[in-house]
Amino acid sequence: MLFIGFVCCLAVYVACNLGANDVANSMGTSVGSKAITLKQAIVIAGILEFTGAVLFGRQVSSTLAISIANPDLFVSQPQTLLLGMIAVLISCGLWLQIATTKNLPVASSHAVVGAIAGFSWVAAGSSAVQWSALGTISLAWVITPLLSAMVAAGFYLVIKRWILERDRPLAQLQQWMPWLSLILVSVFGVIVLPSVVATLPSTFLPEVPRHDFALGLGGMAALAITLVGWRRLAAEKVDLDSITNPQTTEVVERQLARFQLLSACCVAFAHGSNDVGNAIAPLATILYIQSTGTVPQSSLEIPLWVLVLGGVGIVTGLAIWGKQVIATIGEGIIKLEPSSGFAAELATAATILIASSYGLPVSTSHALVGAVVGVGLVKNWQAVRLDTLKSIGLAWVVTIPIATILSAAIFSGLRYFF
């Protein structure tokens, strides 16, 4: 029990640092665009991160647990894999804490994958690393920011062309609200709702097909968002046919701030679903070995309480240390308004949720930075702060080798003493 308590504390330590660093990605643009305050961001992100981790976090956790290190080479030495996963937790926690103190939004997925590869190589040679799986994950890391940038740029172009640059932007916004609501709900609903509904008990609405039920929920949500948006637009008590002026621009941005907040909620859920695996996959592997004396091979079932533990750690870290990295993402790359922040966060949520549905451990910071840059290129490419991007890019690049070396060194020490 003491040993299990120790490794659980290590996993919570990693989750806390992950929350302090990576969770900032979900709310950074909302705080940067002044759509919400920092305290509101911490509360909202905490709830949605926890929900995403518990409801949608199993796939990525299972991938990290069994797809990086070759389990066949550890069948006869399960304790070696156990020590390796302890080394992964320690090395990732240390590096994420260092990065957070420097206000750098690094990729926790890089750290975990690099750490697993590092100890595996030292333990059983290069064949212990499943290079094909590592190649797939690495390719996803490259595609993530590019895809997110393209989606964000395209979506912001639509908002810019059909709402912001029109002669009567308020009237345009009123007409576009149903479509914005539908796009927002679709990003979450198409990817997440079917999986969540599929987990409902068979006695719940047995005569209704699960996908139809999910579509119905999504449709009602889109309708509700539209009606609330129309009501709040009417409450502004301005002429919807007003020609573009500073007042109409302010009203449009104020209305879009509410859409941005909803998109930030999607990002928080997406981040919890993907990055919780970085903290709990090693823990789940350790617990499996400790209880069965064998190595997980084809699959690994993640217990619900382990997902909850990871979610609690993420929320705790966000509340204590998250504000520094939020400032870097939200204000350090380019100045954002709610309209541009909405586009960036919606693109990020779509990219990460798609990756989570396929069990790919990608980087939320990659996706959001790519989205912010994509929006910046549409707004004014000269306003993109390259010095901030260089610092972020350097942190991304050094994370893998640092985590690999740290993990290999810590594993070597643990194996020597135990």
Side-chain angles (χ1 to χ4, degrees):
M1 292 302 295
L2 285 175
F3 174 75
I4 291 174
F6 169 69
V7 293
C8 285
C9 288
L10 281 179
V12 170
Y13 171 63
V14 175
C16 283
N17 282 289
L18 191 154
N21 194 286
D22 258 15
V23 177
N25 299 321
S26 62
M27 290 292 165
T29 53
S30 291
V31 175
S33 68
K34 305 298 188 290
I36 54 175
T37 66
L38 181 61
K39 288 183 179 179
Q40 290 171 332
I42 289 173
V43 172
I44 294 168
I47 295 171
L48 271 298
E49 290 278 344
F50 181 83
T51 307
V54 173
L55 293 182
F56 211 58
R58 281 187 167 88
Q59 282 282 85
V60 174
S61 301
S62 181
T63 297
L64 287 169
I66 63 174
S67 297
I68 309 301
N70 187 347
D72 293 337
L73 297 183
F74 294 97
V75 170
S76 61
Q77 45 181 347
Q79 292 303 310
T80 300
L81 181 61
L82 185 148
L83 288 177
M85 288 301 179
I86 293 175
V88 169
L89 290 173
I90 296 173
S91 58
C92 290
L94 288 174
W95 171 239
L96 287 173
Q97 186 170 24
I98 292 169
T100 303
T101 59
K102 301 295 183 182
N103 302 338
L104 292 173
V106 298
S108 58
S109 56
H110 286 196
V112 173
V113 171
I116 293 175
F119 94 78
S120 300
W121 196 319
V122 171
S126 61
S127 59
V129 181
Q130 299 199 82
W131 296 105
S132 59
L134 194 59
T136 301
I137 293 171
S138 300
L139 182 61
W141 289 344
V142 174
I143 293 174
T144 295
L146 297 177
L147 177 62
S148 189
M150 288 188 293
V151 173
F155 188 46
Y156 183 66
L157 272 173
V158 170
I159 295 175
K160 187 168 179 279
R161 174 177 172 80
W162 293 102
I163 299 176
L164 301 177
E165 294 182 345
R166 290 286 169 162
D167 292 337
R168 294 174 175 79
L170 293 175
Q172 286 296 115
L173 176 62
Q174 184 187 45
Q175 293 180 21
W176 271 88
M177 271 190 181
W179 297 105
L180 296 179
S181 302
L182 184 62
I183 293 170
L184 176 63
V185 171
S186 296
V187 165
F188 183 82
V190 171
I191 303 168
V192 177
L193 272 183
S195 298
V196 174
V197 170
T199 63
L200 294 175
S202 58
T203 56
F204 187 75
L205 293 178
E207 302 301 324
V208 180
R210 298 306 175 94
H211 278 73
D212 289 353
F213 184 55
L215 285 172
L217 285 177
M220 288 188 290
L223 179 60
I225 294 170
T226 300
L227 293 176
V228 170
W230 280 343
R231 186 178 303 161
R232 288 181 172 173
L233 183 59
E236 294 283 355
K237 296 181 179 179
V238 292
D239 183 4
L240 296 183
D241 289 323
S242 298
I243 302 297
T244 300
N245 58 61
Q247 183 187 11
T248 59
T249 300
E250 182 181 344
V251 172
V252 168
E253 293 293 349
R254 189 157 55 238
Q255 295 300 317
L256 289 176
R258 298 185 177 96
F259 281 89
Q260 184 189 2
L261 178 57
L262 292 174
S263 66
C265 291
C266 289
V267 177
F269 184 97
H271 180 272
S273 72
N274 197 281
D275 280 24
V276 71
N278 297 332
I280 68 169
L283 172 62
T285 305
I286 292 168
L287 294 174
Y288 184 91
I289 294 172
Q290 186 73 3
S291 63
T292 67
T294 60
V295 171
Q297 292 184 289
S298 59
S299 63
L300 176 63
E301 183 65 27
I302 310 296
L304 178 61
W305 73 266
V306 174
L307 289 167
V308 171
L309 187 71
V312 170
I314 287 174
V315 173
T316 303
L318 170 67
I320 298 174
W321 300 302
K323 63 181 181 180
Q324 292 91 345
V325 179
I326 283 179
T328 300
I329 286 283
E331 302 170 358
I333 299 174
I334 191 170
K335 180 177 173 56
L336 293 170
E337 298 80 30
S339 55
S340 51
F342 176 34
E345 286 176 342
L346 199 61
T348 303
T351 305
I352 298 302
L353 286 172
I354 290 171
S356 294
S357 67
Y358 285 99
L360 291 172
V362 296
S363 168
T364 309
S365 59
H366 277 199
L368 189 56
V369 169
V372 172
V373 171
V375 168
L377 294 176
V378 173
K379 288 183 63 177
N380 178 11
W381 67 269
Q382 293 177 323
V384 176
R385 300 185 180 101
L386 296 179
D387 54 339
T388 302
L389 286 179
K390 288 178 183 177
S391 299
I392 294 172
L394 179 62
W396 287 350
V397 170
V398 302
T399 290
I400 295 178
I402 287 177
T404 302
I405 294 169
L406 264 178
S407 177
I410 293 170
F411 170 73
S412 299
L414 290 173
R415 187 166 61 170
Y416 177 79
F417 287 106
F418 297 100

